[in-house]
Amino acid sequence: MVTIRSALVLAAATFAFAFPAVERRTVQQLDQAAFDEAHPRDNGATRAFSSTQIKTSNGQCLFVDKLSGDFRANLTPVQVVDCDDSEGQKWDIITSGEHNDQAGTMLVVSTLTQACLNFDPRRAAGNQVLLFSCGGRADGEGQVADSQLFPFAVGSGPLSLAPVSAAGTCLTVKGNVLDQASCDKGDANQSFTFGNGGGVAGPAPTSSAIPAPSAPLPAPAPASASISTPSTTAVAQGPAQNSPTPSPTPEISAPTTENVPQSAIPVSRAGLVLDAKAAAEANVRDDTATRAFSSASVKSADGKCLFIDPLAGDFRENLIPVQLKACDGSAGEKFDIITRGKHIDVADSMLVVSTVTQGCLNFDSRRAAGDQVILFSCGGRADGEGLVTDSQLFGFKGDSSTRLAPNSDKGATCLVPEGNVLGSGACDGSQGQLFTIG
């Protein structure tokens, strides 16, 4: 396991920039299984417009290239191009459905990828407007995200695109991409119109077919373990996201591409095959962090060790269950206890970080019972770009004996052994809820 991981963590990607100030994650082809899971079409949704163009004030069209994001067509920039009625210029306007339960609002959904227009102020300037899985979870398991809802009454416009999550912010045309700015009714760059000759108002056809990628996709490799694939009806995106607290951004060591494995490595969850570049990007080691313990074991009250299998999660080593087993000193048992760094700026708290994957111990009460304690990218974003999330912070006073009580539940919930996995329960002050670090 150590040999496999030592090769994996060296993987990285160097991404080209197609537009000024836009991060371009161009892929050669999509991971079809991950894509299908991340973007199921909501056939029961109410559509005010189907397969319509969205035009700017100067007559250009919003456009998406499904290969300009990641391997499942997330993180895709929205381009502004001359209208040509291509599939990448078609959009559905959804006013009610699985991912929109708020009256007077709309989702702007790419007809091509079924991903939602999304505004995320936590991302780098110039890269805050993109397409992402509707509901806000990278794996497609989310429900409703305010960052994807925009006020909508009736009619084709002109109208502004003002995300519900950010009062006073409007999407705007900047050069050849869609970006954000303070709302200004007099700014023509913030005005958009729905409709074209091919656009259809009202319900859309029920077909959920997605155009095939330009190149054939490889068949998924068999899974190596029996961890169940996440249900597409489960709630929320990855870790519970409290409003992230801005923190200093220390220098993070860049991964390298040396010794990247060339053969497919199977994993247990969505995606089926490890994407070494995505794993390296999602789980970068914070070399400047303050560590109270390094490569330490975390033992339960009955002497078992927390353990993770890097290949028991998804294609970028997220969603890994935390197991309990007899201690043997293996690499999967080793954790760093971080008290200060890029992903923690709260006093008397700690991150519990796998030394093998650099993923953070995370509690998410919105996930299915028995699958709420997992490893996830530190900072709470599946792509590794998050800052601080309370669901990964645990109270810590510097002692080697401690409870694992996530800050997100304000001390009410403690992580506890549940058979051979780490689960959760109400904090009761008992010795059985104590863990020893060392």
Side-chain angles (χ1 to χ4, degrees), residues 20 48 67 90 114 125 156 167 176 207 224 245 279 338 355 420:
L67 298 182
K90 302 295 181 63
Q114 295 301 310
S156 59
N176 60 350
S207 171
S224 63
T245 306
I338 292 179
T355 308
N420 61 350

Side-chain angles (χ1 to χ4, degrees), residues 291-325:
R291 288 170 167 80
F293 295 87
S294 295
S295 296
S297 297
V298 180
K299 297 181 180 179
S300 62
D302 62 358
K304 292 183 179 180
C305 280
L306 301 192
F307 171 82
I308 64 97
D309 175 358
L311 302 183
D314 68 7
F315 44 84
R316 50 183 165 191
E317 297 178 341
N318 281 329
L319 304 175
I320 298 175
V322 181
Q323 305 174 44
L324 286 158
K325 69 181 194 65

Side-chain angles (χ1 to χ4, degrees), residues 147-163:
S147 61
Q148 298 175 347
L149 296 178
F150 301 84
F152 178 70
V154 292
S156 59
L159 48 74
S160 61
L161 298 174

Side-chain angles (χ1 to χ4, degrees), residues 71 94 114 121 138 160 215 257 259 297 305 319 325 341 370 381 391 418:
F71 47 87
I94 291 180
Q114 295 301 310
S160 61
T257 55
N259 296 329
S297 297
C305 280
L319 304 175
K325 69 181 194 65
R381 285 188 59 100
S391 62
E418 291 182 352

Side-chain angles (χ1 to χ4, degrees), residues 218-268:
S224 63
S226 59
I227 306 296
S228 60
T229 302
S231 164
T232 55
T233 58
V235 230
Q237 180 197 354
Q241 288 283 351
N242 296 71
S243 297
T245 306
S247 59
T249 305
E251 180 181 354
I252 305 298
S253 59
T256 72
T257 55
E258 183 181 0
N259 296 329
V260 177
Q262 299 302 311
S263 58
I265 298 177
V267 295
S268 301

